[in-house]
Amino acid sequence: MIRNTVERRIGALLKGTGQTLSAAESCTGGRISHLITTVSGSSAYYLGSVTSYAVKIKEKVLSVPSETISSNGVVSSEVACAMAEGVRALFGSTYSVATTGLAEGGDEHYPEGTVWIAVSGPLGTESTIYQSGKGVRKDNIRQFTCVALQFLEKYIQKSQSIDNQAK
Amino acid sequence: MIRNTVERRIGALLKGTGQTLSAAESCTGGRISHLITTVSGSSAYYLGSVTSYAVKIKEKVLSVPSETISSNGVVSSEVACAMAEGVRALFGSTYSVATTGLAEGGDEHYPEGTVWIAVSGPLGTESTIYQSGKGVRKDNIRQFTCVALQFLEKYIQKSQSIDNQAK
């Protein structure tokens, strides 16, 4: 039996619609992109991702303004939203998802286990915060990825539902 | 006991050297980036990656010339090398690794389970082909990632060894 994972459900929502997806990852480090591409046929809707681990890559490749980072901190709703909007514009996708957080080691603003997640698409850009609490690095990455994919799934469902009502 | 994985060994080679790493992934879909970032302290040397799942992203974001793709096919040494050089130039890293292949479904040029891997750095750009044979999509992705990281490890060892001899 094939498990009905969130990445499969996202695939089922997008397949055959002509809608596309991209991702911008910081603390999840590529795991979102990895899970999406484990789904057979994902190349029909998945364009790709940028893992912007270094701050300068967020600015240079994803066009996150340096003032957005310096004013709000790199783990913030504002930076997550700018990353989602940046990768969506760069890749020209219908939807995008972005993460920025701390899988290990807290800072002065946020404790370890904090992630800001943003999703961008036809309904605009939305963000949410998730806190796993102190944990093992790999477990935090897994939890962050799962929560981000669930947030994306809900956004796509809402967007497609509004599209269908308009028809 | 912590397992001495290839991603940990790469981390041990790079940590404290000031040397940096980036990745460009097609068929591995983000798994290389994911494994590298599971290593504690990887932000000291890992700048990030581009998953260029769509052909147009290879051209637009990684600057792979469209003629390189049309002349050689997307699964080729030439495209793998251009992806590695493209992401290294974009991210400004010391080293880069790139993959392009078929985790599932063959084409007229290559059977399923074929991947071209390239590494770029101070010694220039090198490529290798690996064929897993027909298999499950996820298993192929795992094998491709493992072979790519081992190819990268050997390149870094060789490059650092030449650096040390020159001192």
PDB file of all heavy atoms in Angstrom, chain A residues 37-66:
ATOM      1  N   THR A  37      10.001  15.687  -4.781  1.00  0.00           N
ATOM      2  CA  THR A  37      10.506  14.979  -5.966  1.00  0.00           C
ATOM      3  C   THR A  37      10.601  13.461  -5.774  1.00  0.00           C
ATOM      4  O   THR A  37      10.981  12.752  -6.711  1.00  0.00           O
ATOM      5  CB  THR A  37      11.879  15.530  -6.400  1.00  0.00           C
ATOM      6  OG1 THR A  37      12.797  15.434  -5.293  1.00  0.00           O
ATOM      7  CG2 THR A  37      11.766  16.967  -6.854  1.00  0.00           C
ATOM      8  N   THR A  38      10.249  12.960  -4.593  1.00  0.00           N
ATOM      9  CA  THR A  38      10.126  11.504  -4.456  1.00  0.00           C
ATOM     10  C   THR A  38       8.821  11.015  -5.096  1.00  0.00           C
ATOM     11  O   THR A  38       8.660   9.816  -5.316  1.00  0.00           O
ATOM     12  CB  THR A  38      10.125  11.049  -2.973  1.00  0.00           C
ATOM     13  OG1 THR A  38       9.055  11.696  -2.295  1.00  0.00           O
ATOM     14  CG2 THR A  38      11.430  11.353  -2.284  1.00  0.00           C
ATOM     15  N   VAL A  39       7.906  11.948  -5.379  1.00  0.00           N
ATOM     16  CA  VAL A  39       6.612  11.574  -5.952  1.00  0.00           C
ATOM     17  C   VAL A  39       6.751  11.376  -7.460  1.00  0.00           C
ATOM     18  O   VAL A  39       7.224  12.272  -8.167  1.00  0.00           O
ATOM     19  CB  VAL A  39       5.541  12.655  -5.641  1.00  0.00           C
ATOM     20  CG1 VAL A  39       4.204  12.276  -6.262  1.00  0.00           C
ATOM     21  CG2 VAL A  39       5.414  12.864  -4.144  1.00  0.00           C
ATOM     22  N   SER A  40       6.359  10.229  -7.935  1.00  0.00           N
ATOM     23  CA  SER A  40       6.408   9.910  -9.355  1.00  0.00           C
ATOM     24  C   SER A  40       5.560  10.918 -10.152  1.00  0.00           C
ATOM     25  O   SER A  40       4.429  11.205  -9.771  1.00  0.00           O
ATOM     26  CB  SER A  40       5.851   8.501  -9.526  1.00  0.00           C
ATOM     27  OG  SER A  40       6.126   8.026 -10.799  1.00  0.00           O
ATOM     28  N   GLY A  41       6.130  11.475 -11.212  1.00  0.00           N
ATOM     29  CA  GLY A  41       5.401  12.442 -12.033  1.00  0.00           C
ATOM     30  C   GLY A  41       5.505  13.876 -11.548  1.00  0.00           C
ATOM     31  O   GLY A  41       4.876  14.775 -12.112  1.00  0.00           O
ATOM     32  N   SER A  42       6.311  14.121 -10.500  1.00  0.00           N
ATOM     33  CA  SER A  42       6.396  15.479  -9.935  1.00  0.00           C
ATOM     34  C   SER A  42       7.000  16.486 -10.911  1.00  0.00           C
ATOM     35  O   SER A  42       6.762  17.691 -10.774  1.00  0.00           O
ATOM     36  CB  SER A  42       7.187  15.470  -8.623  1.00  0.00           C
ATOM     37  OG  SER A  42       8.415  14.787  -8.777  1.00  0.00           O
ATOM     38  N   SER A  43       7.740  15.992 -11.919  1.00  0.00           N
ATOM     39  CA  SER A  43       8.330  16.938 -12.879  1.00  0.00           C
ATOM     40  C   SER A  43       7.261  17.652 -13.704  1.00  0.00           C
ATOM     41  O   SER A  43       7.544  18.671 -14.327  1.00  0.00           O
ATOM     42  CB  SER A  43       9.323  16.228 -13.804  1.00  0.00           C
ATOM     43  OG  SER A  43       8.683  15.207 -14.527  1.00  0.00           O
ATOM     44  N   ALA A  44       6.032  17.150 -13.686  1.00  0.00           N
ATOM     45  CA  ALA A  44       4.941  17.821 -14.421  1.00  0.00           C
ATOM     46  C   ALA A  44       4.528  19.134 -13.758  1.00  0.00           C
ATOM     47  O   ALA A  44       3.993  20.027 -14.425  1.00  0.00           O
ATOM     48  CB  ALA A  44       3.729  16.890 -14.519  1.00  0.00           C
ATOM     49  N   TYR A  45       4.737  19.271 -12.467  1.00  0.00           N
ATOM     50  CA  TYR A  45       4.288  20.492 -11.778  1.00  0.00           C
ATOM     51  C   TYR A  45       5.373  21.155 -10.935  1.00  0.00           C
ATOM     52  O   TYR A  45       5.232  22.300 -10.528  1.00  0.00           O
ATOM     53  CB  TYR A  45       3.063  20.207 -10.892  1.00  0.00           C
ATOM     54  CG  TYR A  45       3.269  19.062  -9.911  1.00  0.00           C
ATOM     55  CD1 TYR A  45       3.872  19.277  -8.692  1.00  0.00           C
ATOM     56  CD2 TYR A  45       2.889  17.756 -10.236  1.00  0.00           C
ATOM     57  CE1 TYR A  45       4.081  18.219  -7.811  1.00  0.00           C
ATOM     58  CE2 TYR A  45       3.092  16.697  -9.358  1.00  0.00           C
ATOM     59  CZ  TYR A  45       3.691  16.940  -8.146  1.00  0.00           C
ATOM     60  OH  TYR A  45       3.913  15.905  -7.274  1.00  0.00           O
ATOM     61  N   TYR A  46       6.475  20.447 -10.663  1.00  0.00           N
ATOM     62  CA  TYR A  46       7.508  21.013  -9.795  1.00  0.00           C
ATOM     63  C   TYR A  46       8.640  21.593 -10.630  1.00  0.00           C
ATOM     64  O   TYR A  46       9.301  20.878 -11.382  1.00  0.00           O
ATOM     65  CB  TYR A  46       8.045  19.938  -8.843  1.00  0.00           C
ATOM     66  CG  TYR A  46       8.999  20.483  -7.809  1.00  0.00           C
ATOM     67  CD1 TYR A  46       8.591  21.477  -6.932  1.00  0.00           C
ATOM     68  CD2 TYR A  46      10.311  20.017  -7.718  1.00  0.00           C
ATOM     69  CE1 TYR A  46       9.462  21.993  -5.986  1.00  0.00           C
ATOM     70  CE2 TYR A  46      11.179  20.521  -6.766  1.00  0.00           C
ATOM     71  CZ  TYR A  46      10.743  21.506  -5.914  1.00  0.00           C
ATOM     72  OH  TYR A  46      11.601  22.023  -4.972  1.00  0.00           O
ATOM     73  N   LEU A  47       8.902  22.890 -10.480  1.00  0.00           N
ATOM     74  CA  LEU A  47       9.952  23.541 -11.275  1.00  0.00           C
ATOM     75  C   LEU A  47      11.312  23.458 -10.603  1.00  0.00           C
ATOM     76  O   LEU A  47      12.330  23.402 -11.281  1.00  0.00           O
ATOM     77  CB  LEU A  47       9.581  25.010 -11.526  1.00  0.00           C
ATOM     78  CG  LEU A  47       8.234  25.245 -12.230  1.00  0.00           C
ATOM     79  CD1 LEU A  47       8.047  26.738 -12.501  1.00  0.00           C
ATOM     80  CD2 LEU A  47       8.139  24.458 -13.522  1.00  0.00           C
ATOM     81  N   GLY A  48      11.318  23.465  -9.265  1.00  0.00           N
ATOM     82  CA  GLY A  48      12.593  23.384  -8.551  1.00  0.00           C
ATOM     83  C   GLY A  48      12.634  24.295  -7.355  1.00  0.00           C
ATOM     84  O   GLY A  48      11.599  24.817  -6.912  1.00  0.00           O
ATOM     85  N   SER A  49      13.838  24.503  -6.821  1.00  0.00           N
ATOM     86  CA  SER A  49      13.988  25.250  -5.578  1.00  0.00           C
ATOM     87  C   SER A  49      15.345  25.922  -5.467  1.00  0.00           C
ATOM     88  O   SER A  49      16.274  25.603  -6.216  1.00  0.00           O
ATOM     89  CB  SER A  49      13.834  24.307  -4.385  1.00  0.00           C
ATOM     90  OG  SER A  49      14.995  23.484  -4.281  1.00  0.00           O
ATOM     91  N   VAL A  50      15.424  26.833  -4.515  1.00  0.00           N
ATOM     92  CA  VAL A  50      16.712  27.387  -4.094  1.00  0.00           C
ATOM     93  C   VAL A  50      16.868  27.090  -2.609  1.00  0.00           C
ATOM     94  O   VAL A  50      15.965  27.395  -1.825  1.00  0.00           O
ATOM     95  CB  VAL A  50      16.785  28.917  -4.322  1.00  0.00           C
ATOM     96  CG1 VAL A  50      18.055  29.498  -3.704  1.00  0.00           C
ATOM     97  CG2 VAL A  50      16.710  29.239  -5.801  1.00  0.00           C
ATOM     98  N   THR A  51      17.962  26.423  -2.243  1.00  0.00           N
ATOM     99  CA  THR A  51      18.319  26.345  -0.831  1.00  0.00           C
ATOM    100  C   THR A  51      19.258  27.505  -0.568  1.00  0.00           C
ATOM    101  O   THR A  51      20.376  27.538  -1.086  1.00  0.00           O
ATOM    102  CB  THR A  51      19.024  25.020  -0.478  1.00  0.00           C
ATOM    103  OG1 THR A  51      18.175  23.937  -0.828  1.00  0.00           O
ATOM    104  CG2 THR A  51      19.335  24.947   1.010  1.00  0.00           C
ATOM    105  N   SER A  52      18.770  28.485   0.182  1.00  0.00           N
ATOM    106  CA  SER A  52      19.583  29.685   0.459  1.00  0.00           C
ATOM    107  C   SER A  52      20.072  29.585   1.891  1.00  0.00           C
ATOM    108  O   SER A  52      19.501  30.178   2.797  1.00  0.00           O
ATOM    109  CB  SER A  52      18.751  30.941   0.238  1.00  0.00           C
ATOM    110  OG  SER A  52      17.574  30.897   1.037  1.00  0.00           O
ATOM    111  N   TYR A  53      21.113  28.805   2.083  1.00  0.00           N
ATOM    112  CA  TYR A  53      21.615  28.570   3.442  1.00  0.00           C
ATOM    113  C   TYR A  53      22.361  29.793   3.953  1.00  0.00           C
ATOM    114  O   TYR A  53      22.216  30.175   5.098  1.00  0.00           O
ATOM    115  CB  TYR A  53      22.523  27.336   3.437  1.00  0.00           C
ATOM    116  CG  TYR A  53      22.228  26.393   4.572  1.00  0.00           C
ATOM    117  CD1 TYR A  53      20.933  25.957   4.816  1.00  0.00           C
ATOM    118  CD2 TYR A  53      23.232  25.936   5.413  1.00  0.00           C
ATOM    119  CE1 TYR A  53      20.656  25.102   5.872  1.00  0.00           C
ATOM    120  CE2 TYR A  53      22.959  25.078   6.462  1.00  0.00           C
ATOM    121  CZ  TYR A  53      21.678  24.670   6.685  1.00  0.00           C
ATOM    122  OH  TYR A  53      21.402  23.827   7.732  1.00  0.00           O
ATOM    123  N   ALA A  54      23.158  30.412   3.087  1.00  0.00           N
ATOM    124  CA  ALA A  54      23.893  31.621   3.468  1.00  0.00           C
ATOM    125  C   ALA A  54      22.988  32.845   3.280  1.00  0.00           C
ATOM    126  O   ALA A  54      22.198  32.909   2.341  1.00  0.00           O
ATOM    127  CB  ALA A  54      25.138  31.756   2.610  1.00  0.00           C
ATOM    128  N   VAL A  55      23.130  33.817   4.184  1.00  0.00           N
ATOM    129  CA  VAL A  55      22.315  35.039   4.117  1.00  0.00           C
ATOM    130  C   VAL A  55      22.502  35.738   2.777  1.00  0.00           C
ATOM    131  O   VAL A  55      21.540  36.201   2.153  1.00  0.00           O
ATOM    132  CB  VAL A  55      22.658  35.987   5.293  1.00  0.00           C
ATOM    133  CG1 VAL A  55      22.002  37.343   5.103  1.00  0.00           C
ATOM    134  CG2 VAL A  55      22.209  35.378   6.620  1.00  0.00           C
ATOM    135  N   LYS A  56      23.755  35.789   2.291  1.00  0.00           N
ATOM    136  CA  LYS A  56      24.009  36.522   1.036  1.00  0.00           C
ATOM    137  C   LYS A  56      23.289  35.876  -0.160  1.00  0.00           C
ATOM    138  O   LYS A  56      22.992  36.546  -1.145  1.00  0.00           O
ATOM    139  CB  LYS A  56      25.515  36.655   0.771  1.00  0.00           C
ATOM    140  CG  LYS A  56      26.231  35.362   0.435  1.00  0.00           C
ATOM    141  CD  LYS A  56      27.669  35.616  -0.050  1.00  0.00           C
ATOM    142  CE  LYS A  56      28.334  34.302  -0.466  1.00  0.00           C
ATOM    143  NZ  LYS A  56      29.714  34.470  -0.940  1.00  0.00           N
ATOM    144  N   ILE A  57      23.011  34.554  -0.082  1.00  0.00           N
ATOM    145  CA  ILE A  57      22.285  33.884  -1.167  1.00  0.00           C
ATOM    146  C   ILE A  57      20.806  34.285  -1.135  1.00  0.00           C
ATOM    147  O   ILE A  57      20.165  34.417  -2.184  1.00  0.00           O
ATOM    148  CB  ILE A  57      22.456  32.346  -1.088  1.00  0.00           C
ATOM    149  CG1 ILE A  57      23.947  31.964  -1.162  1.00  0.00           C
ATOM    150  CG2 ILE A  57      21.671  31.635  -2.191  1.00  0.00           C
ATOM    151  CD1 ILE A  57      24.661  32.402  -2.420  1.00  0.00           C
ATOM    152  N   LYS A  58      20.274  34.487   0.067  1.00  0.00           N
ATOM    153  CA  LYS A  58      18.895  34.995   0.170  1.00  0.00           C
ATOM    154  C   LYS A  58      18.777  36.332  -0.557  1.00  0.00           C
ATOM    155  O   LYS A  58      17.803  36.599  -1.249  1.00  0.00           O
ATOM    156  CB  LYS A  58      18.494  35.174   1.639  1.00  0.00           C
ATOM    157  CG  LYS A  58      18.330  33.868   2.402  1.00  0.00           C
ATOM    158  CD  LYS A  58      17.943  34.119   3.856  1.00  0.00           C
ATOM    159  CE  LYS A  58      17.801  32.818   4.624  1.00  0.00           C
ATOM    160  NZ  LYS A  58      19.057  32.084   4.873  1.00  0.00           N
ATOM    161  N   GLU A  59      19.802  37.171  -0.402  1.00  0.00           N
ATOM    162  CA  GLU A  59      19.775  38.490  -1.042  1.00  0.00           C
ATOM    163  C   GLU A  59      20.043  38.372  -2.544  1.00  0.00           C
ATOM    164  O   GLU A  59      19.281  38.904  -3.361  1.00  0.00           O
ATOM    165  CB  GLU A  59      20.835  39.400  -0.406  1.00  0.00           C
ATOM    166  CG  GLU A  59      20.563  39.692   1.073  1.00  0.00           C
ATOM    167  CD  GLU A  59      21.671  40.498   1.752  1.00  0.00           C
ATOM    168  OE1 GLU A  59      22.586  40.972   1.047  1.00  0.00           O
ATOM    169  OE2 GLU A  59      21.629  40.645   2.980  1.00  0.00           O
ATOM    170  N   LYS A  60      21.111  37.649  -2.886  1.00  0.00           N
ATOM    171  CA  LYS A  60      21.570  37.647  -4.285  1.00  0.00           C
ATOM    172  C   LYS A  60      20.657  36.835  -5.211  1.00  0.00           C
ATOM    173  O   LYS A  60      20.319  37.278  -6.304  1.00  0.00           O
ATOM    174  CB  LYS A  60      22.997  37.079  -4.356  1.00  0.00           C
ATOM    175  CG  LYS A  60      23.613  37.225  -5.733  1.00  0.00           C
ATOM    176  CD  LYS A  60      24.983  36.572  -5.832  1.00  0.00           C
ATOM    177  CE  LYS A  60      25.425  36.553  -7.287  1.00  0.00           C
ATOM    178  NZ  LYS A  60      26.634  35.757  -7.488  1.00  0.00           N
ATOM    179  N   VAL A  61      20.290  35.634  -4.775  1.00  0.00           N
ATOM    180  CA  VAL A  61      19.536  34.746  -5.676  1.00  0.00           C
ATOM    181  C   VAL A  61      18.030  34.946  -5.514  1.00  0.00           C
ATOM    182  O   VAL A  61      17.286  34.924  -6.490  1.00  0.00           O
ATOM    183  CB  VAL A  61      19.940  33.269  -5.453  1.00  0.00           C
ATOM    184  CG1 VAL A  61      19.202  32.350  -6.423  1.00  0.00           C
ATOM    185  CG2 VAL A  61      21.453  33.096  -5.614  1.00  0.00           C
ATOM    186  N   LEU A  62      17.572  35.154  -4.280  1.00  0.00           N
ATOM    187  CA  LEU A  62      16.121  35.265  -4.029  1.00  0.00           C
ATOM    188  C   LEU A  62      15.640  36.714  -3.940  1.00  0.00           C
ATOM    189  O   LEU A  62      14.445  36.948  -3.741  1.00  0.00           O
ATOM    190  CB  LEU A  62      15.759  34.522  -2.739  1.00  0.00           C
ATOM    191  CG  LEU A  62      15.944  33.003  -2.787  1.00  0.00           C
ATOM    192  CD1 LEU A  62      15.673  32.397  -1.421  1.00  0.00           C
ATOM    193  CD2 LEU A  62      15.026  32.378  -3.839  1.00  0.00           C
ATOM    194  N   SER A  63      16.564  37.668  -4.091  1.00  0.00           N
ATOM    195  CA  SER A  63      16.218  39.099  -4.078  1.00  0.00           C
ATOM    196  C   SER A  63      15.523  39.542  -2.787  1.00  0.00           C
ATOM    197  O   SER A  63      14.669  40.428  -2.817  1.00  0.00           O
ATOM    198  CB  SER A  63      15.341  39.455  -5.282  1.00  0.00           C
ATOM    199  OG  SER A  63      15.946  39.039  -6.478  1.00  0.00           O
ATOM    200  N   VAL A  64      15.880  38.926  -1.653  1.00  0.00           N
ATOM    201  CA  VAL A  64      15.373  39.420  -0.366  1.00  0.00           C
ATOM    202  C   VAL A  64      16.147  40.704  -0.056  1.00  0.00           C
ATOM    203  O   VAL A  64      17.383  40.680  -0.027  1.00  0.00           O
ATOM    204  CB  VAL A  64      15.605  38.381   0.759  1.00  0.00           C
ATOM    205  CG1 VAL A  64      15.143  38.930   2.104  1.00  0.00           C
ATOM    206  CG2 VAL A  64      14.875  37.076   0.437  1.00  0.00           C
ATOM    207  N   PRO A  65      15.442  41.831   0.154  1.00  0.00           N
ATOM    208  CA  PRO A  65      16.167  43.080   0.427  1.00  0.00           C
ATOM    209  C   PRO A  65      16.989  42.965   1.720  1.00  0.00           C
ATOM    210  O   PRO A  65      16.502  42.420   2.715  1.00  0.00           O
ATOM    211  CB  PRO A  65      15.050  44.116   0.586  1.00  0.00           C
ATOM    212  CG  PRO A  65      13.858  43.523  -0.098  1.00  0.00           C
ATOM    213  CD  PRO A  65      13.982  42.036   0.110  1.00  0.00           C
ATOM    214  N   SER A  66      18.217  43.474   1.722  1.00  0.00           N
ATOM    215  CA  SER A  66      19.075  43.360   2.907  1.00  0.00           C
ATOM    216  C   SER A  66      18.452  44.100   4.091  1.00  0.00           C
ATOM    217  O   SER A  66      18.633  43.690   5.237  1.00  0.00           O
ATOM    218  CB  SER A  66      20.483  43.874   2.603  1.00  0.00           C
ATOM    219  OG  SER A  66      20.422  45.220   2.219  1.00  0.00           O
TER     220      SER A  66
END
